[in-house]
Amino acid sequence: MDCIFCKIANGEIKSEIVYQDETTVAFPDINPKAPVHLLIIPRKHIERILDPAGDQEKLIGHLVTVASKLAEQQGISRSGYRLVLNRGAHGGQVVPHIHIHLLGGRQMSKMG
Ligand code: 5GP
Ligand code: ZN
């Protein structure tokens, strides 16, 4: 599978893995937009949320739970943080493997 995030998840591409479990991996974004900018991904290659449509509630729920634990670990839980899940072209999704961005450590601007 020629997918950057799959390769990071399986160790083919070296990255600092800040969290991993059976289904999920997290690592720093290569182009951080905030003092804390982590990406939380499923090990399984799924291009977009609900694509193919299916029961992803558990998967997405777990990604969000991991993100909030990482926020705690990074010390940004109290100050607050932003979780971003881009889907498809208009959503600004560039990497076609589901990922949640965890952004924090600075004041986020209003959504536009
Ligand atoms: P998207 O726009 O698809 O939601 O976000 C993709 C994110 O992946 C971007 O913030 C980009 O900086 C990050 N990214 C792209 N390629 C790599 C890579 O090879 N390693 C890491 N750690 N992050 C990447
Ligand atoms: Zn992938």
Side-chain angles (χ1 to χ4, degrees):
M1 174 71 69
D2 196 24
C3 166
I4 298 167
F5 286 1
C6 281
K7 287 180 177 167
I8 290 174
N10 69 24
E12 233 178 286
I13 293 177
K14 288 272 165 291
S15 179
E16 181 199 342
I17 303 295
V18 295
Y19 174 90
Q20 60 179 320
D21 65 26
E22 229 172 83
T23 61
T24 304
V25 175
F27 51 90
D29 195 292
I30 202 168
N31 182 20
K33 297 292 194 311
V36 176
H37 188 172
L38 300 178
L39 299 171
I40 300 97
I41 69 166
R43 288 186 185 277
K44 189 173 173 195
H45 181 82
I46 304 168
E47 292 201 0
R48 291 170 289 263
I49 48 164
L50 301 179
D51 194 5
D55 181 12
Q56 291 180 7
E57 278 185 28
K58 228 176 119 180
L59 174 86
I60 303 293
H62 186 62
L63 296 177
V64 171
T65 302
V66 168
S68 65
K69 282 182 182 160
L70 284 168
E72 194 78 51
Q73 212 175 76
Q74 296 282 328
I76 57 169
S77 206
R78 187 183 285 259
S79 51
Y81 53 87
R82 180 171 288 174
L83 300 181
V84 175
L85 203 171
N86 297 326
R87 185 189 191 279
H90 279 186
Q93 182 177 8
V94 173
V95 178
H97 180 132
I98 292 181
H99 50 279
I100 291 182
H101 297 257
L102 167 62
L103 295 148
R106 68 164 169 82
Q107 180 62 54
M108 296 297 143
S109 53
K110 290 260 186 287
M111 300 278 290

